[in-house]
Amino acid sequence: VQLQASGGGLVQDGGSLRLSCAASGYIFNSYAIAWFRQAPGKDREFVSSITFGGASTHYADSVKGRFTISRDNAKNTLYLQMNDLKSEDTAVYYCAKDSSPNFHGGMDYWGKGTQVTVSS
């Protein structure tokens, strides 16, 4: 299993970025998948998840209304559209595969992260 996140970068406060996570090595449309992030000096935290077919999504309160998770099962790719970015969104963002079709938090594979830096 491989998960490759991309799309990070440096953006100004209030700006937007779209992260992608290309998945391979497993049946992508059979499992939930999620985004997590880790800021310097802080624990890794949940950002957003999406079920196997995309019908159900969940968000951390801190990003609700600003971030949108989606997936393209035909392309084996997960996305995170991030709008109205704030300095507190600065972190390394990781995609992770759940071990079940619906999000239960049992992440069994993690990708290497992509850095998002928001400057004020």
Side-chain angles (χ1 to χ4, degrees), residues 7-103:
L10 175 64
V11 63
Q12 289 190 329
D13 189 59
S16 298
L17 281 175
R18 188 175 84 152
L19 305 184
S20 299
C21 173
S24 62
Y26 73 102
I27 303 173
F28 183 70
N29 62 12
S30 292
Y31 297 92
I33 191 166
W35 290 99
F36 291 77
R37 67 186 182 186
Q38 187 166 22
K42 295 187 177 181
D43 293 335
R44 185 167 56 198
E45 65 174 358
F46 168 80
V47 175
S48 182
S49 66
I50 188 167
T51 53
F52 69 103
S56 181
T57 58
H58 291 89
Y59 297 91
D61 287 343
S62 59
V63 307
K64 206 171 290 184
R66 300 187 298 120
F67 290 11
T68 302
I69 191 170
S70 62
R71 65 190 295 164
D72 186 335
N73 284 345
K75 295 182 178 179
N76 287 0
T77 303
L78 171 73
Y79 302 100
L80 186 69
Q81 178 66 43
M82 305 186 295
N83 297 329
D84 189 23
L85 283 160
K86 306 175 182 180
S87 57
E88 52 263 41
D89 296 318
T90 295
V92 178
Y93 284 71
Y94 301 88
C95 52
K97 171 189 169 292
D98 201 293
S99 57
S100 71
N102 299 302
F103 183 71

